[in-house]
Amino acid sequence: MKKNPEKKPENKFIAYENLDKIGEIPVYYGFFPHKSPEIKKVDLDHAKSLLEGDFIEDEESGRARLPLHVEEKVALLRMYTEDNLHTLPQPVMFYFKEPFKGSIKKGSHAFHRYCDLEIMGGTKSIAEALLIQTARAILKEEGYENICVEINSIGDRESINRFTRDLSNYYRKHVNDMHAECRQLLKKDPFDLLACTNDKCRKINEGAPRSMDFLSESSRTHFQEVLEYLEALGVAYKINNHLIGNKKYCTETIFSITNLDHDKKSGDPKTLAIGVRYDGLAKKIGFKKEIQGVGISVLIKNNKTDLRKEIKKLKKPFASFVQLGFESKLLSLSIIEELRHAKIPLYLSLARDRLGAQVSVVEKHHIPYALIMGKKEAVERTVIVRNNDTHAQEIVNIDELSGYMKKLEK
């Protein structure tokens, strides 16, 4: 009689490449570690007409500038197209631990590139919230506790065009009061004038039109949702009307994370991260289809070298988080952060709205439990915990969820 073959032990880990210790945070939030794209000549050629004014002025110094690096966004769009990433469930989310090779270094010497997070193929406001929350968690691990999000919106192309016209007319009325350099800038791009730190221009800028006053209905809704996420997370934030970026490829939300403990003598940076949405870029550089994208670059030195150590595998998710509706998404990020601290391996697809897309991943990867939150659960501050094998389920209060999941894991 033949003996039954021994059952192979279940592999409880997932192998990864391009991952370091700090990368566990973005992976937990649903980002995939990927090798940073190399910027090619074709990317630089596409970017040439967009590079002018590709900086946000640091108001404190008047000299240091934050590069947004449009050539990197172009390289990402090329990678998305060449690798047929549109065939994957959207949006796709990437963590890049290495700086992009071939980036233009002009104006960026003062900023150390730590990592990049990108979300492509999605328009929802949860994308900005995910980027900010993940970047905050990374910065906290590196020792930055007292931080603030500065944020603004320039809206879609319709909004930007209206704002540009009104801004140009405003500055023309004050052209005689500007210093000589700004008079020249007015001919090129009135957006650049908002970052001027000259005393004369500061006073003029105080009365300048605000981009938020020109937002279309859809852009206004998008921005309001982003702010609702920040409030739900308890994130300190302020509207910075001068944070506008490069109108040639930036759209909708622009945001930065600043260090409230910044001290010039200590050498700690003031700006810790900078993020921007670039929904209109793909067609502008000749792509047939529009590709939505939003990303954030963390711009700090490594304070804790052990966090950059390479790792090869992580525990398989023990549960998946399935959310239905905006109300549940608002609560989800703070719940997920608690579960991360409790070391509950979790699979997330917060940026996806369709229930089918979320459930199919659960079935594909044979994840034991599903945490389900709809509008009713969000109002009652509860979560349905479902056993995916037996279909048994229990309603658990949010405050008790981490402890409950710890017991199930045992």
Side-chain angles (χ1 to χ4, degrees), residues 22 41 76 104 183 193 243 370:
I22 197 72
K41 184 179 181 299
L76 282 168
I104 295 173
R183 290 188 196 122
L193 300 177
L243 198 62

Side-chain angles (χ1 to χ4, degrees), residues 97-262:
K97 69 183 180 72
E98 301 288 348
F100 288 36
K101 293 180 180 178
S103 286
I104 295 173
K105 303 298 181 184
K106 180 182 176 183
S108 63
H109 62 279
F111 301 97
H112 300 271
R113 198 62 159 272
Y114 186 89
C115 69
D116 289 86
L117 304 167
E118 296 286 339
I119 300 178
M120 305 179 73
T123 61
K124 300 295 184 181
S125 55
I126 185 68
E128 281 92 332
L130 271 169
L131 290 169
I132 291 170
Q133 173 68 352
T134 307
R136 284 176 69 230
I138 289 172
L139 290 167
K140 189 173 182 180
E141 286 296 315
E142 279 287 357
Y144 297 98
E145 296 275 355
N146 193 13
I147 61 179
C148 176
V149 174
E150 295 190 8
I151 192 165
N152 193 25
S153 175
I154 58 175
D156 52 21
R157 286 297 155 197
E158 176 191 341
S159 309
I160 293 169
N161 290 337
R162 288 203 306 266
F163 175 52
T164 303
R165 284 195 298 269
D166 210 79
L167 192 64
S168 298
N169 292 335
Y170 172 81
Y171 280 124
R172 286 193 189 100
K173 293 176 184 177
H174 296 84
V175 68
N176 293 330
D177 299 322
M178 297 177 187
H179 73 298
E181 185 179 342
C182 277
R183 290 188 196 122
Q184 294 302 314
L185 284 175
L186 178 57
K187 297 175 184 178
K188 296 179 180 179
D189 189 348
F191 273 38
D192 289 344
L193 300 177
L194 285 170
C196 182
T197 56
N198 179 275
D199 287 340
K200 287 183 178 180
C201 294
R202 276 182 187 272
K203 292 180 181 178
I204 297 171
N205 287 342
E206 287 175 4
R210 305 182 312 164
S211 60
M212 285 195 302
D213 294 334
F214 298 85
L215 298 181
S216 64
E217 191 61 36
S218 61
S219 292
R220 189 177 300 280
T221 299
H222 182 93
F223 190 54
Q224 286 175 344
E225 288 180 357
V226 174
L227 297 183
E228 285 185 62
Y229 279 117
L230 298 183
E231 289 168 5
L233 285 165
V235 175
Y237 74 89
K238 68 176 183 178
I239 306 294
N240 182 347
N241 295 309
H242 295 169
L243 198 62
I244 55 173
N246 184 339
K247 69 175 183 178
K248 294 177 182 176
Y249 81 94
C250 298
T251 57
E252 303 293 355
T253 326
I254 301 175
F255 47 98
S256 67
I257 301 178
T258 57
N259 181 9
L260 297 179
D261 292 329
H262 168 65

Side-chain angles (χ1 to χ4, degrees), residues 261-405:
D261 292 329
H262 168 65
D263 181 358
K264 285 184 178 179
K265 293 180 181 178
S266 70
D268 282 338
K270 177 188 176 185
T271 300
L272 305 176
I274 184 79
V276 64
R277 184 171 274 280
Y278 48 97
D279 287 355
L281 179 57
K283 280 194 172 181
K284 184 163 280 192
I285 60 174
F287 285 41
K288 291 181 179 180
K289 291 185 178 180
E290 194 55 84
I291 303 167
Q292 296 82 14
V294 57
I296 191 168
S297 298
V298 179
L299 304 166
I300 59 170
K301 284 184 177 179
N302 304 339
N303 292 329
K304 301 175 182 177
T305 54
D306 59 312
L307 294 177
R308 303 320 299 263
K309 288 181 179 177
E310 185 180 12
I311 58 175
K312 295 289 188 182
K313 59 184 180 180
L314 292 176
K315 265 188 175 183
K316 270 188 176 179
F318 169 67
S320 65
F321 195 98
V322 177
Q323 43 71 35
L324 301 167
F326 183 68
E327 292 84 0
S328 64
K329 285 187 178 183
L330 280 176
L331 273 178
S332 62
L333 288 173
S334 55
I335 296 170
I336 289 159
E337 183 65 4
E338 287 184 20
L339 293 172
R340 186 179 73 84
H341 281 290
K343 301 187 185 308
I344 304 294
L346 200 62
Y347 180 87
L348 301 180
S349 52
L350 287 181
R352 295 170 192 161
D353 285 329
R354 289 174 51 238
L355 177 61
Q358 297 180 67
V359 172
S360 64
V361 174
V362 175
E363 296 170 349
K364 179 181 176 182
H365 295 285
H366 307 292
I367 299 172
Y369 289 90
L371 310 181
I372 304 167
M373 177 181 275
K375 184 175 182 179
K376 178 176 180 290
E377 288 73 34
V379 171
E380 297 174 350
R381 296 185 63 80
T382 60
V383 174
I384 297 172
V385 180
R386 176 179 293 172
N387 184 313
N388 290 324
D389 290 327
T390 66
H391 301 294
Q393 62 185 42
E394 190 164 340
I395 298 173
V396 181
N397 190 283
I398 285 173
D399 297 331
E400 300 169 356
L401 185 60
S402 293
Y404 184 86
M405 296 305 295

